[in-house]
Amino acid sequence: MKSDHSSPGIDRRALLSGLALLPALPELLLPVSTQAQTAPGAPLASWNDGPAKQAVVDFVHAITDRASPKFVAPEQRIATFDQDGTLWVEHPIYSQVVYCLDRVPAVVAQKPGLKDVEPFKTVLSGDREAMAKLSRHDLEIILAATLTGMPVDKFEAEVKSWLETAKHPRWKRPYTDLVYQPMLDVLQYLRDNAFKTYIVTGGGQDFVRVYSQRVYGIPPEQVVGTMGGTKFGYDEDGKPFLTKEPKLLLNNDNAGKPEGIHLMLGRRPRAAFGNSVGDREMLEYAGAGEGARLMMLVLHDDAQREYAYGPARGLPDSKFGTFPRALDGEAKRNGWTVISMKNDWNRIFPFDS
Amino acid sequence: MKSDHSSPGIDRRALLSGLALLPALPELLLPVSTQAQTAPGAPLASWNDGPAKQAVVDFVHAITDRASPKFVAPEQRIATFDQDGTLWVEHPIYSQVVYCLDRVPAVVAQKPGLKDVEPFKTVLSGDREAMAKLSRHDLEIILAATLTGMPVDKFEAEVKSWLETAKHPRWKRPYTDLVYQPMLDVLQYLRDNAFKTYIVTGGGQDFVRVYSQRVYGIPPEQVVGTMGGTKFGYDEDGKPFLTKEPKLLLNNDNAGKPEGIHLMLGRRPRAAFGNSVGDREMLEYAGAGEGARLMMLVLHDDAQREYAYGPARGLPDSKFGTFPRALDGEAKRNGWTVISMKNDWNRIFPFDS
């Protein structure tokens, strides 16, 4: 029995301590960088030789060898990737939460009555200490106000516009620059071997879809995220449109990840990549199928080039959602491969030389 | 304003009159036929020359011509197809409803207490007159009892097994034989031109996924249907599995179709095919985008080779969900092309010579 696994886990919406590090609203207008999707040359060029790279290569060789009993038909090749902390930086705070907080002034401008109402008042104050004390309920109100209530096309345009201007506080670059080149290499390597690659994120499905093709080469229909309902209707000219509703259909984290994968794909992935307790059930689900399987966990142990947190810092658990130490043993038991950012990656970002 | 379009529409679960024609439980065990996915030779070989075929060809030519202002990038080519009455026979009753009724004895065998409880008692009696009088609520109880409460793998195996034995009462063939060859031609023709083809059905998503690849060449992740929740858990050996829950996430009919398309794809289709009022919103949604669009409606006007119902019989509306006469005018106004089965198709089924 693994019922002890149904622990409360880490709630991505409760990560309020990160708010203390919230950057100021972006002021600079700079063009979006166009980043390389893959490193030039050999596959997995950003990976050092070692057990992690070898695990990827061995897996692909096994399932693409028609003479092998582990051969998997091309149309059965599905790989799923967590996003925050697995494909891009999640520190000091999830980009989507920054987006929601950045959107508050625009929401209040449209509904001025909210100006003196909490939690909007606190966010508008810019008082980071007060913002860090916002409750989970407060943050949910902010998410609902900034992610729902508008036509889907308008939401997409707003996210696009934000992505062009918002900057990460450390690198002073657009958030979409802060993707891990070695993971772009893996995405490409798997696609070159007939895999369909999916993002399976606790983040908002519609949010990630805005940039998934450009940033990861993953089309919107291959993004599985936390899902809200929409409502079909007609505008005054009789033209149909969809409005984003404040109705949660599926919280795509923890047990929600395999549930979301079933809803969106209807089949079990062959390979799954994550970095946190929120990815545990997805990796278990991928691993429970027959034949060759690949499950990998990104370990954030590179304080210099990125961050060191979670088990890399000896923490029993982590507010940033990285898998707790207990999972180290579990990873071994389950045949999951841990990726050390420090040792396994010769390059972190596409802009690294 | 088209708010008058938000009519109650046709409820697929209320089609009880069809129950009178319910076939006996299948008794014969015959092998599944393997049908050709496409007609040999030219594309759209099962289509007669005429405005319907021409509409398909003109659309594909326009959006694949790189010199044309109507050119659509290959990765943007999405086509959605209703299933019942559009890709396969929906008469005299939806196949999935037959499945649910056929499953009642097995459900009662596992829970003998249900034997004397309605509506199970009536279904077990085999009294077709009484079955035809089952209420919508009764039918929902039967659907919940036969489509939920089991692991997803078990459900898939049960549907597969049923498909191998169940026969359509008129043709005495498996339901999956009763697909329209001209629509298989269109699916293939669009895929040959880089389209991703999707089923968008009011039927159960997990039900259709069981056979979508084999029958239509459409993988499970490209089936959008009425969606239920699942629940992740562990069996006594600690192996994770998903259980189908009696929780409706989205009723993928009428306005639910564009909502389901957004949920599953995140973008608007370029082409949409349907046959009933349940498809109206999907066709409107597809048609409201920019550039070249293709919207088509299958008209069941061939009593000899298939059925004639709905507008073909001059009915003001139809219990079988076919679009009412009012939609004929609407089709013209919206630039939707009506497909006459009688005139536009030189062949109905793959097994027709």
Side-chain angles (χ1 to χ4, degrees):
Chain A
M1 290 287 283
K2 288 194 185 177
S3 54
D4 57 320
H5 281 183
S6 59
S7 66
I10 301 297
D11 192 302
R12 68 166 33 232
R13 294 184 176 177
L15 310 181
L16 293 176
S17 57
L19 289 178
L21 296 164
L22 188 70
L25 296 184
E27 289 164 28
L28 296 174
L29 283 157
L30 289 180
V32 180
S33 68
T34 309
Q35 66 213 9
Q37 289 296 325
T38 51
L44 306 179
S46 307
W47 290 71
N48 294 321
D49 289 336
K53 180 178 178 178
Q54 202 57 48
V56 179
V57 172
D58 288 350
F59 167 74
V60 168
H61 285 176
I63 65 126
T64 56
D65 176 3
R66 288 187 178 270
S68 164
K70 292 181 177 171
F71 176 75
V72 175
E75 65 272 16
Q76 299 282 347
R77 297 177 196 165
I78 304 278
T80 56
F81 293 80
D82 168 57
Q83 183 188 228
D84 295 307
T86 299
L87 293 178
W88 76 354
V89 172
E90 65 182 341
H91 254 298
I93 184 171
Y94 294 126
S95 310
Q96 189 180 356
V97 175
V98 181
Y99 171 78
C100 293
L101 293 164
D102 283 357
R103 283 294 302 166
V104 165
V107 167
V108 172
Q110 286 209 315
K111 295 182 187 169
L114 294 177
K115 188 164 56 77
D116 299 314
V117 176
E118 291 297 356
F120 302 99
K121 190 178 168 186
T122 293
V123 176
L124 289 172
S125 75
D127 178 345
R128 292 177 184 191
E129 215 165 300
M131 286 165 76
K133 285 178 189 153
L134 289 174
S135 70
R136 173 184 169 172
H137 180 65
D138 288 335
L139 202 50
E140 283 177 352
I141 290 172
I142 292 166
L143 294 179
T146 52
L147 298 175
T148 69
M150 73 290 287
V152 298
D153 293 347
K154 187 157 181 282
F155 173 75
E156 191 180 321
E158 285 168 357
V159 174
K160 255 189 192 143
S161 166
W162 179 83
L163 289 171
E164 289 172 8
T165 58
K167 296 279 185 303
H168 190 280
R170 175 168 162 188
W171 286 277
K172 319 291 182 202
R173 284 176 171 273
Y175 289 94
T176 49
D177 278 12
L178 300 174
V179 293
Y180 306 134
Q181 181 62 49
M183 296 307 289
L184 296 180
D185 289 358
V186 170
L187 287 168
Q188 191 60 50
Y189 180 55
L190 290 174
R191 288 197 291 259
D192 288 346
N193 284 281
F195 272 84
K196 269 191 181 174
T197 53
Y198 284 80
I199 293 172
V200 178
T201 175
Q205 185 163 281
D206 284 349
F207 184 84
V208 178
R209 281 170 164 173
V210 173
Y211 55 85
S212 61
Q213 179 73 52
R214 173 173 66 87
V215 174
Y216 303 116
I218 293 177
E221 60 269 21
Q222 287 167 220
V223 174
V224 182
T226 291
M227 304 167 203
T230 58
K231 191 165 175 56
F232 180 86
Y234 303 92
D235 69 14
E236 47 201 24
D237 298 322
K239 194 178 166 181
F241 72 103
L242 293 166
T243 302
K244 286 176 68 67
E245 295 276 286
K247 182 189 172 191
L248 181 69
L249 292 180
L250 191 142
N251 182 1
N252 197 58
D253 216 355
N254 298 105
K257 287 206 171 188
E259 293 164 6
I261 290 169
H262 179 75
L263 181 66
M264 298 288 287
L265 282 76
R267 47 182 164 176
R268 192 191 302 265
R270 275 277 152 190
F273 297 74
N275 79 307
S276 83
V277 289
D279 302 313
R280 180 160 54 190
E281 290 84 351
M282 174 170 75
L283 268 66
E284 290 173 341
Y285 183 60
E290 293 178 357
R293 303 272 153 184
L294 178 66
M295 284 73 65
M296 303 192 85
L297 281 168
V298 174
L299 175 66
H300 293 264
D301 60 354
D302 195 330
Q304 200 190 336
R305 295 187 300 172
E306 204 242 11
Y307 295 100
Y309 55 100
R313 289 180 56 195
L315 299 176
D317 204 333
S318 166
K319 61 182 180 289
F320 295 103
T322 292
F323 56 100
R325 290 179 73 82
L327 269 180
D328 286 330
E330 188 181 339
K332 284 208 186 71
R333 274 202 309 284
N334 289 335
W336 300 348
T337 302
V338 173
I339 300 165
S340 160
M341 293 182 77
K342 189 173 177 179
N343 300 322
D344 290 316
W345 292 355
N346 62 44
R347 187 178 169 197
I348 304 287
F349 301 114
F351 56 82
D352 287 340
S353 57
Chain B
M1 289 288 286
K2 287 197 185 176
S3 54
D4 58 321
H5 281 181
S6 58
S7 66
I10 300 299
D11 191 303
R12 68 167 32 233
R13 294 182 175 177
L15 310 180
L16 294 175
S17 58
L19 289 177
L21 296 165
L22 188 71
L25 295 184
E27 289 164 27
L28 296 174
L29 283 157
L30 290 179
V32 179
S33 68
T34 309
Q35 67 215 12
Q37 288 297 324
T38 51
L44 306 178
S46 306
W47 290 69
N48 293 321
D49 289 335
K53 179 179 179 180
Q54 202 58 46
V56 179
V57 172
D58 287 349
F59 168 73
V60 169
H61 284 178
I63 65 125
T64 56
D65 175 4
R66 289 186 177 271
S68 163
K70 293 181 175 170
F71 177 74
V72 176
E75 65 272 17
Q76 299 283 347
R77 298 178 195 164
I78 304 278
T80 56
F81 292 80
D82 168 57
Q83 182 188 231
D84 296 306
T86 299
L87 292 178
W88 76 354
V89 171
E90 65 182 342
H91 255 299
I93 183 171
Y94 294 126
S95 310
Q96 190 180 355
V97 175
V98 181
Y99 170 78
C100 293
L101 293 164
D102 283 357
R103 283 294 304 165
V104 165
V107 167
V108 172
Q110 285 209 316
K111 295 181 187 171
L114 294 177
K115 188 164 55 78
D116 299 313
V117 176
E118 291 297 356
F120 303 99
K121 190 177 169 187
T122 293
V123 177
L124 289 171
S125 75
D127 178 345
R128 292 176 187 193
E129 215 164 302
M131 286 165 76
K133 286 178 189 153
L134 289 174
S135 70
R136 173 184 168 173
H137 180 66
D138 288 335
L139 201 50
E140 283 177 350
I141 290 171
I142 291 166
L143 294 179
T146 53
L147 298 176
T148 71
M150 71 291 283
V152 297
D153 293 347
K154 187 158 181 281
F155 173 74
E156 188 180 321
E158 285 168 357
V159 174
K160 254 188 193 143
S161 164
W162 179 81
L163 289 171
E164 289 172 9
T165 57
K167 296 279 186 302
H168 190 280
R170 174 168 162 188
W171 286 276
K172 320 289 184 205
R173 285 176 170 273
Y175 289 94
T176 50
D177 278 11
L178 300 175
V179 293
Y180 306 135
Q181 181 62 47
M183 295 307 288
L184 297 180
D185 289 359
V186 170
L187 286 168
Q188 190 60 50
Y189 180 55
L190 290 175
R191 288 196 290 259
D192 288 346
N193 285 282
F195 272 84
K196 270 191 179 174
T197 54
Y198 284 81
I199 293 171
V200 178
T201 174
Q205 184 163 280
D206 284 349
F207 184 85
V208 178
R209 280 170 164 172
V210 173
Y211 56 85
S212 61
Q213 179 72 54
R214 172 174 67 86
V215 174
Y216 304 115
I218 292 177
E221 61 269 22
Q222 287 169 220
V223 175
V224 181
T226 291
M227 305 166 201
T230 59
K231 192 166 174 54
F232 181 85
Y234 303 93
D235 69 14
E236 48 200 20
D237 298 323
K239 193 177 167 181
F241 71 104
L242 293 167
T243 303
K244 285 174 69 67
E245 295 276 287
K247 182 190 172 189
L248 181 69
L249 292 181
L250 191 143
N251 182 2
N252 197 59
D253 217 355
N254 298 104
K257 288 204 171 187
E259 292 164 6
I261 290 169
H262 180 75
L263 181 66
M264 299 288 286
L265 282 78
R267 47 181 165 177
R268 193 191 301 266
R270 275 275 152 191
F273 296 74
N275 78 306
S276 82
V277 288
D279 302 314
R280 180 160 54 188
E281 289 84 353
M282 174 170 75
L283 269 65
E284 288 173 341
Y285 183 60
E290 293 177 357
R293 305 270 152 184
L294 178 66
M295 284 74 64
M296 303 193 84
L297 281 168
V298 175
L299 175 67
H300 293 264
D301 61 354
D302 194 331
Q304 198 190 335
R305 296 187 300 172
E306 203 244 10
Y307 295 100
Y309 55 100
R313 290 179 58 196
L315 299 176
D317 204 331
S318 165
K319 61 180 183 286
F320 294 105
T322 292
F323 57 100
R325 291 179 73 81
L327 269 179
D328 286 330
E330 189 181 338
K332 281 206 187 75
R333 272 202 311 285
N334 289 334
W336 301 348
T337 302
V338 173
I339 300 164
S340 160
M341 294 181 76
K342 190 171 177 180
N343 300 322
D344 290 316
W345 292 356
N346 63 46
R347 187 178 168 196
I348 304 287
F349 301 114
F351 55 81
D352 287 339
S353 56

